[in-house]
């Protein structure tokens, strides 16, 4: 394990700048050479309520936040009431001296309380109340003896659109820092010295998916806002002119997916992102993409359901939905990245696969992956290359008339885009012949179904031959295996570190491709596994049912969580210790 | 190379009922393409589900037979990907005004340069004769055997108030006039909406009804730049029913307002090595 594990939590009402402060601190540590995983927890409302940002910092790569906290920044009293139980012994609390609370109760818990005149300093500066958070951030830098300048550079950059606002926040941070230094000295909590800035990025799953799309040559992006997928739209809307990408917010998700399909039919790589409700509206068109054999990339950022559910909380309840969405039988890829770094590379891959096989590709994320921050090294663009499918651009050179659904050995027909000279491109969501004309002829129907089925066989091979379709971590020879998919990866990898330190060696099997299901690879990987522990953020253990379906094997133990909250490493550790006993 | 009517025919067997208004729409559209001499590769036809939906099979240009009601979003995506294509959507009145209604006002106010033709037979044809949003009140259909209890929708008024920059009505009983309308719509830059009165010979034969009533706006000196007059004409539906161009105005199209679309069509841009590093500034 890394030698430094520092966990902070910033809490307050919506509107107090909790998310921005958390993010700025994550960027500060990243610029200071550390790794961060940070999560924002917020109910679906604009003012009031309780928001908190909870993050762990380490000197080695980190995949999840840890539950227990070294430092709480309480922008209101509610934060103390809600999170005190998470505070480690001798942990610190920064609290506004204007807040009325029971100090002795905190101290009885072993907390070190630092009362700082957040409101007072802001008043002195004549700044808005929201600037309190910058005072607190400055103060926190002194408590851990971190270089204040790094924080100031982040504030200047993040708030730099309006110089006077950036400067007042910089001043506020400086005052908070000096207050602590004068009253208590530097590094009272601990010492975290900045290391060299290696150019790492702080990125969310949503941003990674957006960046992946850009790298993959996506030229059109369509979306109707829906948490937790909306930040993809915001990110792309911001950079649309830098990348010459058209970003449109149409009237609903039905329009969204159909525009994307229309655009890729005409040659523009396209993506859409939504959550369960919007995905439900898209399902008919996903079948259309399959039938017309037009590629499309659909990001399904899951949240708690059914129905509107808990819009801002995480879940993995839509796996079966993604696998089966739309009428009829057809091949599709369903890919579940486990962290933001994977999300980038797999999104590029998704575009390539969609075009290679002319099928819909669904990328499954969830709120915990989509909106949490992760420190990652700058991307290796050699590993993220555009691979075009069998496409025909400019002019069709064939001697016979162009057939969009030409029968081929592999089931994949060369795809011309409309506008190509000498090619008339007819696509049809009704069953069709090779030319694209509708027909209900029995023999033709069978030929066409088999053509689409041949693609499925090829896709299965693609998955079985791909190292990334299933990943194994930890002690590969251990007879005890944790199995999971998607964002639970983070808590599980952190748990593995803790278990290893305790001398407990297990492995973690991450299923990345869920359709086609990597049956043969999993058979090999799970061959000598005695105890199989399934970890999922849902009620019914959906991956478990897939294992039964494809491997005829049920998990031996289940760790399921379905309260909208992600797993914490210690929960996985406890369960594993129970299993090995 | 000249474009001929024969080149626009396909091998598909036409399955519309003899006497169906769809034949006139097909003929008029092909004639418009020939008269404008538009290369076949440049045209994309999008059709919905219904009798009209077979349209793409019968004209030898690029075509997309989409699911029920989604002609406009598909057309919009196509136009954004390749602005040099001439994109023409064809829907039934069920396809356009029932299941697909949510798209019309938005395509209109966006002013995407797409042409939208509605085969308005005031009935569901392919599903054998149920009521639609434009079936007149009181008419008996298979799903309203005691008479339609609902007031019909006014498609032209809807298109006008939604901001369509070209609004017209045609009649399948007058192919020459329809051909002219199609040509004007294609020449118009922006969203062009044409509702075509299309008698369904089998389930709702309105030939005689319309023949007795329609008159041409061009013949009465209608000013196509006058929005309020256009709206008044859209409400004229009694023993006189106007056909022709109700309203036309030139406004920037959706594509023209997007600087990203300047230059080559998106579909033809080089995407082999996009430099994403310029976005890193947001992630540090
Ligand atoms: C989602 C969906 N709902 C229902 C249908 C069944 N359906 C097929 S055609 C049609 C009505 C077509 O009527 P219209 O659009 O007026 O076209 P017409 O046949 O009159 O040309 C319906 C309801 C369908 N294909 N898809
Ligand atoms: S049912 Fe009506 S609309 Fe359909 S083909 Fe026959 S006449 Fe035409």
């Amino acid at each position: 394990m890394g030698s430094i594990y520092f966990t902070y939590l910033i809490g307050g009402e919506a509107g107090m700048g909790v998310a921005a402060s958390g993010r700025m601190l994550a960027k500060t540590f990243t610029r200071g050479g550390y790794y961060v995983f940070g999560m924002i927890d917020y109910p679906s409302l604009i003012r009031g309520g309780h928001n908190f940002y909870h993050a762990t910092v380490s000197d080695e790569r980190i995949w999840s936040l840890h539950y227990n906290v070294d430092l709480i920044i309480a922008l209101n009293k509610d934060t103390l009431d809600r999170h005190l139980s998470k505070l480690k012994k001798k942990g610190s609390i920064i609290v506004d001296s204007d807040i009325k609370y029971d100090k002795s109760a905190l101290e009885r818990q072993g907390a070190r309380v630092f009362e700082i005149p957040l409101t007072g300093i802001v008043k002195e500066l004549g700044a808005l109340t929201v600037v309190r958070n910058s005072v607190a951030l400055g103060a926190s830098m002194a408590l851990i003896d971190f270089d204040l300048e790094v924080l100031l550079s982040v504030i200047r950059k993040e708030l730099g659109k309006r110089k006077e606002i950036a400067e007042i926040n910089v001043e506020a941070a400086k005052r908070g820092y000096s207050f602590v230094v004068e009253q208590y000295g530097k590094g009272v909590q601990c010492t975290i010295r900045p290391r060299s800035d290696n150019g790492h990025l702080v990125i969310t799953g949503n941003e990674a998916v957006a960046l992946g799309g850009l790298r993959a040559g996506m030229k059109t992006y369509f979306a109707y806002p829906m948490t937790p997928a909306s930040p993809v739209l915001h990110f792309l809307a911001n950079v649309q002119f830098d990348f010459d990408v058209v970003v449109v917010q149409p009237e609903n998700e039905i329009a969204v997916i159909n525009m994307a399909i229309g655009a890729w039919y005409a040659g523009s790589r396209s993506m859409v992102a939504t959550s369960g409700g919007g995905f439900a509206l898209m399902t008919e068109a996903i079948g259309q993409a399959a039938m017309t054999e037009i590629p499309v990339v659909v990001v399904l950022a899951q949240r708690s359901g059914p129905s509107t559910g808990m819009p801002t909380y995480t879940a993995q309840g839509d796996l079966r939905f993604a696998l089966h969405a739309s009428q009829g039988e057809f091949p599709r890829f369903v890919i579940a990245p486990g962290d933001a770094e994977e999300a980038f590379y797999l999104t590029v891959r998704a575009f390539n696969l969609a075009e290679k096989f002319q099928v819909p590709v669904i990328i499954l994320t969830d709120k915990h992956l989509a909106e949490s921050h992760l420190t990652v090294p700058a991307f290796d663009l050699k590993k993220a290359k555009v691979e075009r499918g069998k496409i025909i651009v400019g002019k069709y050179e064939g001697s016979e008339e162009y057939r969009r659904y030409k029968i081929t050995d592999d089931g994949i027909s060369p795809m011309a885009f409309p506008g190509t000279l000498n090619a008339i491109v007819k696509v049809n969501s009704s069953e069709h012949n090779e030319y694209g004309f509708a027909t209900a002829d029995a023999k033709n129907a069978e030929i066409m179904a088999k053509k689409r089925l041949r693609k499925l066989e090829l896709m299965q091979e693609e998955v079985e031959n791909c190292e990334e379709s299933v990943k194994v971590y930890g002690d590969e020879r251990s007879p005890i295996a944790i199995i999971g998919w998607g964002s639970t990866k983070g808590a599980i990898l952190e748990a593995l570190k803790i278990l290893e330190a305790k001398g407990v060696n297990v492995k973690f099997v991450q299923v990345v491709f869920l359709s086609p299901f990597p049956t043969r690879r999993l058979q090999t990987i799970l061959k000598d596994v005695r105890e199989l522990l399934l970890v999922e953020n849902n009620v019914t253990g959906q991956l478990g049912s897939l294992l039964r379906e494809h491997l005829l094997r049920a998990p031996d133990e289940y760790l399921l969580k379905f309260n909208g909250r992600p797993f914490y490493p210690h929960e996985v550790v406890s369960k594993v210790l129970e299993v090995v006993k | 190379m000249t474009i001929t009517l024969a080149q626009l025919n396909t091998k598909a067997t036409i399955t519309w009922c003899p006497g169906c208004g769809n034949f006139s729409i097909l003929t008029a559209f092909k004639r418009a393409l020939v008269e404008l001499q538009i290369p076949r590769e440049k045209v994309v036809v999008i059709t919905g589900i219904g009798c009209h939906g077979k349209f793409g099979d019968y004209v030898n240009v690029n075509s997309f037979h989409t699911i029920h009601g989604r002609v406009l979003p598909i057309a919009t995506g196509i136009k954004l990907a390749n602005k040099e294509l001439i994109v023409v959507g064809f829907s039934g009145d069920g396809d356009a005004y029932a299941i697909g209604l949510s798209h019309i006002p938005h395509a209109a106010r966006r002013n995407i340069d797409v042409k939208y033709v509605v085969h308005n037979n005031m009935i569901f044809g392919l599903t054998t004769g149920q009521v639609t949003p434009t079936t007149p009140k009181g008419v008996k259909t298979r799903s309203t055997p005691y008479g339609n209890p609902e007031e019909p929708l006014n498609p032209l008024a809807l298109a006008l108030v939604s901001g369509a920059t070209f609004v017209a009505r045609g009649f399948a009983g007058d192919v020459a006039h329809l051909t002219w309308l199609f040509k004007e719509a294609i020449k118009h830059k922006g969203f062009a909406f044409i509702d075509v009165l299309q008698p369904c010979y089998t389930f709702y034969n309105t030939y005689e009804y319309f023949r007795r009533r329609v008159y041409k706006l061009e013949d009465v000196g209608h000013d196509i730049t006058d929005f309020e007059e256009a709206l008044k004409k859209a409400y004229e539906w009694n023993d006189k029913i106007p056909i022709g161009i109700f309203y036309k105005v030139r406004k920037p199209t959706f594509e023209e307002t997007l600087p990203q679309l300047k230059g080559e069509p998106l579909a033809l841009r080089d995407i082999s090595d996009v430099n994403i590093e310029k976005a890193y500034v947001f992630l540090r």
Side-chain angles (χ1 to χ4, degrees), chain B residues 43-56:
Chain B
V43 182
V44 189
V45 156
I46 303 101
T47 66
I49 300 290
C51 295
H52 72 277
K54 311 281 195 289
F55 196 93

Side-chain angles (χ1 to χ4, degrees), chain A residues 4-218:
Chain A
I4 290 180
Y5 269 84
F6 175 75
T7 300
Y8 63 88
L9 186 151
I10 307 174
E13 272 179 31
M16 285 183 175
V18 169
S21 322
R23 185 182 65 238
M24 287 200 277
L25 217 45
K27 289 188 171 181
T28 301
F29 284 116
T30 300
R31 283 193 185 194
Y34 287 83
Y35 296 90
V36 185
F37 184 102
M39 173 189 79
I40 176 76
D41 182 303
Y42 61 104
S44 185
L45 43 77
I46 303 300
R47 286 281 179 277
H50 180 71
N51 291 2
F52 67 95
Y53 189 94
H54 185 169
T56 300
V57 183
S58 177
D59 55 347
E60 68 166 24
R61 284 211 70 172
I62 186 158
W63 308 101
S64 161
L65 69 162
H66 289 243
Y67 184 77
N68 287 320
V69 176
D70 297 279
L71 170 68
I72 292 176
I73 297 178
L75 295 174
N76 62 1
K77 177 170 175 299
D78 203 20
T79 303
L80 299 172
D81 300 339
R82 286 169 184 263
H83 302 291
L84 188 62
S85 61
K86 297 192 179 86
L87 193 70
K88 292 183 192 166
K89 275 252 147 14
K90 298 231 172 101
S92 299
I93 299 177
I94 290 178
V95 59
D96 191 340
S97 31
D98 270 25
I99 292 176
K100 290 200 177 33
Y101 66 101
D102 181 0
K103 186 171 181 183
S104 58
L106 303 189
E107 285 173 344
R108 252 180 279 129
Q109 295 254 338
R112 292 192 286 192
V113 181
F114 298 91
E115 281 184 6
I116 299 175
L118 305 182
T119 306
I121 290 174
V122 165
K123 277 195 184 140
E124 266 171 46
L125 290 172
L128 296 172
T129 318
V130 65
V131 178
R132 287 192 311 149
N133 54 17
S134 293
V135 183
L137 293 185
S140 69
M141 293 289 98
L143 285 182
I144 59 173
D145 195 13
F146 202 82
D147 184 354
L148 178 68
E149 278 309 317
V150 184
L151 172 68
L152 301 185
S153 72
V154 171
I155 294 179
R156 284 197 185 99
K157 197 227 108 188
E158 292 283 294
L159 306 175
K161 264 198 193 142
R162 292 189 48 198
K163 203 141 193 241
E164 31 346 319
I165 291 185
E167 279 319 309
I168 208 150
N169 279 278
V170 162
E171 191 51 36
K174 282 183 181 165
R175 300 262 182 115
Y177 184 86
S178 317
F179 183 86
V180 170
V181 174
E182 282 155 25
Q183 297 289 315
Y184 310 101
K186 278 189 202 176
V188 201
Q189 168 67 25
C190 61
T191 302
I192 303 180
R193 282 275 146 71
R195 311 191 306 170
S196 61
D197 178 0
N198 22 32
H200 290 173
L201 312 173
V202 175
I203 192 165
T204 63
N206 278 330
E207 289 161 345
V209 162
L211 216 54
L214 293 173
R215 175 63 184 165
M218 172 185 75

Side-chain angles (χ1 to χ4, degrees), chain B residues 105-138:
Chain B
H106 304 288
R109 68 185 175 83
R110 237 174 245 132
N111 199 27
I112 181 99
D113 188 6
V114 156
K115 320 298 148 198
Y116 193 39
V117 178
V118 182
H119 303 223
N120 187 357
N121 54 13
M122 304 172 178
I123 198 87
F124 277 181
L126 191 65
T127 47
T128 66
Q130 298 88 352
V131 71
T132 78
T134 47
T135 309
K137 193 167 182 175

